Amino acid sequence: MGTLFRLIGWILMGAALAMLAIDGWAWLGGSRKLTGMGELWHRLDVGSLGATQEFIQRYLFPWLWDPMGLWTLAQPAAVVLGVLGFAIAFLARR
């Protein structure tokens, strides 16, 4: 099981590097902003973003979504993916 989590962590860190490359390419093209996690999630699958919000607010804890979830979605996607990937891979080392 630890191997699976390490793999997931490495995949997320790879996705973070890909987002850095995409944002760097956009920067060279004149854009001066980083892609936010919420913007990336919205681009990939807007339905799951809304479903996740509804699930967390209805069945878990409303305070988990606002302000914690909203703050996370406002952060650069490369940072969120990188930190999450590193944490998962590090915790799965055991």
Side-chain angles (χ1 to χ4, degrees):
M1 193 63 146
T3 304
L4 175 65
F5 282 112
R6 278 195 305 274
L7 177 63
I8 291 170
W10 280 105
I11 289 171
L12 287 172
M13 286 188 282
L17 288 174
M19 284 307 304
L20 276 177
I22 290 168
D23 285 343
W25 188 263
W27 183 80
L28 289 174
S31 175
R32 296 293 185 247
K33 72 176 196 85
L34 297 173
T35 303
M37 189 64 210
E39 180 183 349
L40 175 64
W41 194 348
H42 184 270
R43 285 184 194 171
L44 294 175
D45 187 10
V46 68
S48 70
L49 177 59
T52 301
Q53 175 186 2
E54 183 178 340
F55 177 79
I56 290 173
Q57 287 181 326
R58 183 176 296 172
Y59 298 110
L60 294 178
F61 306 103
W63 57 264
L64 191 60
W65 184 261
D66 186 14
M68 292 171 60
L70 294 178
W71 180 84
T72 303
L73 291 175
Q75 303 310 306
V79 173
V80 174
L81 292 170
V83 168
L84 184 61
F86 180 78
I88 290 172
F90 180 77
L91 292 174
R93 283 185 340 158
R94 304 176 21 170

